[in-house]
Amino acid sequence: MRVLLTEFRQESNSFSPVTSDLRYWRANGWTLTPAELYPKHTSGFTALGGMITVLEQSAGPDLEMVFGPGFYAQSGGPVTPEVVEEYLTQLTSALDEAGSLDAVLVSFHGALQSTVSDDVESDILRKVRDRVGPNCLVGVSTDLHGFITPTLIEQVDVLCGYQTYPHVDVVETGSRAATLVLSLYRGAPLYSAYAAIPMMVPAAAYTTGVGPFGDLISHAHALVADGTLEDFSVYQIQPWLDVERPNSAVVVYSKSPEHAEAAAAELATRLYAMRHDLEADLHSVEEIAARAASSESSKPVILVDSADSSNAGAPGDSATVLGVLAGSFPDLRAATIIVDSPAVEAAFAAGVGATQTFTLGGTIDPRAVPVTVEGRVRSLHDGGFDVEGQGSAGKHIELGRAAVLRVGHVDVLVCHTISGNGDPQLYRAFGIDQKMYDLVVVKANTSFRAGYEPFAGEIYLADTPGAAASDIRNLPFTKSHLHAFPWVDRADFAPEVVLHKLGG
Ligand SMILES: [Zn+2]
């Protein structure tokens, strides 16, 4: 069995002021040549790593793995065509060199937009399909927040999205895709069923652990456990994607066409039916800070500033919350984080213990309002830390140089970039122990819950401005709003299921 593996992974945010060019990908991710791909993914916590493990353990002695390029970048604004071209050039030469292939396995995010295309993954898969022909199996793994179009589903045999949010099954998702591809290769016929759902809901408003979305995922797991389905993915489209026809989606695999069709219709109907329950419950920063000030609990209140989450493609440079805390809650012990390269360098120039005026925030997003404060440099750091979170424990992250500034009773971690937003070590590794504060700002949507819930007090979603704002109706959509919930509400929605026979 001859398999080519490759990766091209970024989540786009149409409202980010930072276009994702090659420099951005290299500074905030990686662009690996085929020769570099295998060592990277056998030592990491990636979907591609999961695919490789399954192949090596189960494909048998005739397995031959060849590699394409591996491109990854943290969420950001739409990608530039030069990045797509660079990837495609390397991919097509790897495909040409590989000759005849039994399977191609690809790791995507699923919501990649370029400055010229809303559906980059479909564009790439079409080129792959043209080269490998209709008999080569194409298996893809994605995030749960993929924009899975009808065009994309036509290009693939197997598509598996994360089944957890917070995402703690990244490696397992790659394993599922490789396992299904292997079983198709061995001749077991399968049916896929796909349904598109015209809805877009804020990513901070649900998890797969609780609530109606959690119930839906549990139900889908039960369908796999009792043999009705072989696999399922329920997609909630990344909500900061401004595209022509946005859709969430359901993709299922079953040995029975009837079961596949019925399950896809049921899951899609149930997902659309919960649309109003998935709207974010937002609170003003003032209200959350007042609750923290009057809280009797020893546990910190978590203020979720998801609008500025770099996990969701925002730059992380908002000082909105700091402005309110410094201005109106001088006695509240709080911790926050702001991307601000000039402030980091000013802190290094001033040295530990120095007090001076800092203007924080708004260094990247022209819409973000800077805040001028007196700050004392508490500590300076090289910016490296190891995450503790489930699914990627021990992964090393570099933020570039970083500093902690004390502003009144607020500790502000300033850095060049934010990554690992939801991981407790993003603060702890820099001397900020969340348990010592009344209020902690987390710039993430849901990823933080896995690590924070064990020690967090009340958790509030803040109504803050930013490229990943939860109130998506207030964002400047020019396309998405024409077709999908929350702008278009269709009480009569009935899913159209597309069934495909695979293999056999
Ligand atoms: Zn996601």
Side-chain angles (χ1 to χ4, degrees):
M1 183 186 191
R2 210 169 149 69
V3 189
L4 182 138
L5 295 105
T6 181
E7 166 187 57
F8 192 55
R9 203 157 51 85
Q10 188 193 28
E11 179 178 48
S12 299
N13 181 319
S14 306
F15 306 109
S16 168
V18 186
T19 305
S20 300
D21 56 13
L22 259 179
R23 224 184 51 162
Y24 182 92
W25 280 64
R26 288 182 176 139
N28 299 280
W30 55 71
T31 55
L32 305 174
T33 62
E36 296 164 325
L37 194 71
Y38 181 82
K40 174 83 186 176
H41 287 283
T42 44
S43 61
F45 307 95
T46 59
L48 213 76
M51 293 170 176
I52 291 170
T53 304
V54 164
L55 291 175
E56 288 183 334
Q57 291 176 353
S58 316
D62 73 328
L63 170 70
E64 220 181 309
M65 284 193 288
V66 291
F67 297 96
F71 283 31
Y72 160 77
Q74 180 166 8
S75 301
V79 64
T80 56
E82 52 156 5
V83 180
V84 183
E85 280 310 313
E86 175 73 25
Y87 172 76
L88 277 173
T89 303
Q90 289 193 36
L91 179 63
T92 42
S93 77
L95 287 167
D96 288 347
E97 252 172 61
S100 165
L101 287 165
D102 297 300
V104 174
L105 287 171
V106 192
S107 170
F108 281 145
H109 177 280
L112 183 58
Q113 179 180 46
S114 77
T115 53
V116 296
S117 169
D118 285 350
D119 193 5
V120 175
E121 284 96 343
S122 288
D123 302 342
I124 290 168
L125 288 173
R126 216 181 282 116
K127 293 213 156 70
V128 169
R129 188 54 90 187
D130 281 351
R131 272 196 143 67
V132 299
N135 296 324
C136 175
L137 296 165
V138 176
V140 174
S141 73
T142 66
D143 193 278
L144 178 146
H145 296 106
F147 169 37
I148 307 303
T149 62
T151 319
L152 189 144
I153 209 76
E154 297 221 325
Q155 313 300 323
V156 300
D157 298 285
V158 165
L159 181 72
C160 295
Y162 302 159
Q163 294 170 333
T164 61
Y165 186 45
H167 305 315
V168 295
D169 63 337
V170 173
V171 179
E172 291 81 353
T173 304
S175 308
R176 285 161 47 217
T179 302
L180 284 176
V181 163
L182 264 181
S183 99
L184 281 170
Y185 174 70
R186 288 171 178 152
L190 265 187
Y191 293 86
S192 75
Y194 161 87
I197 304 133
M199 69 183 271
M200 205 175 213
V201 293
Y206 57 88
T207 76
T208 51
V210 293
F213 191 60
D215 294 343
L216 186 72
I217 296 295
S218 300
H219 174 63
H221 276 297
L223 294 176
V224 174
D226 73 11
T228 305
L229 297 179
E230 297 299 304
D231 194 75
F232 75 89
S233 305
V234 180
Y235 289 97
Q236 296 267 25
I237 184 174
Q238 130 85 335
W240 303 287
L241 204 56
D242 193 17
V243 292
E244 280 305 336
R245 286 195 170 265
N247 62 265
S248 291
V250 167
V251 179
V252 302
Y253 293 87
S254 174
K255 290 173 183 159
S256 144
E258 293 80 17
H259 285 164
E261 202 160 14
E266 187 206 356
L267 296 174
T269 304
R270 281 181 61 172
L271 184 63
Y272 195 72
M274 72 181 70
R275 61 198 180 282
H276 294 286
D277 301 327
L278 300 181
E279 293 187 72
D281 179 18
L282 301 175
H283 303 264
S284 70
V285 175
E286 288 79 0
E287 180 194 341
I288 300 168
R291 291 201 188 197
S294 64
S295 171
E296 309 263 289
S297 166
S298 60
K299 294 179 168 181
V301 162
I302 308 300
L303 183 153
V304 183
D305 185 11
S306 56
D308 196 33
S309 167
S310 51
N311 284 351
D317 70 336
S318 166
T320 300
V321 178
L322 174 65
V324 174
L325 297 177
S328 308
F329 297 87
D331 297 326
L332 201 63
R333 296 174 308 161
T336 188
I337 181 166
I338 299 173
V339 167
D340 194 316
S341 296
V344 173
E345 295 315 316
F348 269 84
V352 171
T355 297
Q356 66 177 55
T357 303
F358 289 92
T359 298
L360 298 174
T363 55
I364 301 170
D365 192 332
R367 296 161 299 194
V369 181
V371 174
T372 299
V373 291
E374 281 294 296
R376 181 164 55 83
V377 180
R378 293 197 71 193
S379 55
L380 301 169
H381 305 267
D382 67 4
F385 72 103
D386 295 334
V387 306
E388 66 180 55
Q390 281 173 282
S392 56
K395 179 176 151 193
H396 187 75
I397 288 178
E398 287 286 346
L399 305 178
R401 299 208 294 188
V404 177
L405 310 177
R406 171 60 67 91
V407 176
H409 288 91
V410 185
D411 280 331
V412 186
L413 175 59
V414 288
C415 45
H416 288 283
T417 176
I418 307 181
S419 186
N421 299 46
D423 195 274
Q425 289 300 326
L426 176 59
Y427 280 125
R428 270 185 213 146
F430 303 97
I432 296 175
D433 180 350
Q434 292 92 338
K435 293 197 284 293
M436 303 303 290
Y437 296 83
D438 303 314
L439 181 147
V440 175
V441 177
V442 176
K443 292 186 172 180
N445 273 282
T446 297
S447 59
F448 73 93
R449 289 184 184 271
Y452 270 74
E453 277 175 350
F455 63 81
E458 287 167 347
I459 296 172
Y460 295 104
L461 308 186
D463 189 5
T464 41
S470 268
D471 190 353
I472 59 176
R473 277 171 291 211
N474 279 338
L475 285 167
F477 281 97
T478 59
K479 299 187 271 190
S480 287
H481 67 294
L482 296 173
H483 298 286
F485 180 83
W487 302 275
V488 179
D489 195 358
R490 292 168 49 189
D492 62 342
F493 170 73
E496 275 174 42
V497 176
V498 180
L499 190 70
H500 279 120
K501 182 172 190 288
L502 310 159

